[in-house]
Amino acid sequence: MTISETDRRAAATFGRLAGERGMPVTACPYPVRGDDRQRALRLLWIRTYVRHSSGE
């Protein structure tokens, strides 16, 4: 499994934007039952989202 730096940046950027804008966590574009690459990007997206969300 290889995740490009571009994919990592995109997941982190869009996770941050979703968190800052108050979007629901279900807005994550990576599928729950995806392959290893998609699951890794989903985890990165969610961690970044949580770090930047208001927690409301």
Side-chain angles (χ1 to χ4, degrees):
M1 169 185 70
T2 303
I3 300 174
S4 71
E5 187 60 31
T6 302
D7 288 340
R8 291 173 53 84
R9 283 185 192 160
T13 298
F14 291 120
R16 177 180 54 83
L17 290 173
E20 290 174 350
R21 293 179 179 166
M23 296 173 69
V25 73
T26 56
C28 180
Y30 303 102
V32 174
R33 297 185 191 272
D35 59 20
D36 290 343
R37 179 184 161 279
Q38 291 170 325
R39 286 195 306 263
L41 289 170
R42 181 177 181 81
L43 180 61
L44 176 60
W45 189 97
I46 290 173
R47 285 181 175 173
T48 306
Y49 171 89
V50 169
R51 196 174 317 131
H52 293 279
S53 68
S54 63
E56 294 178 12

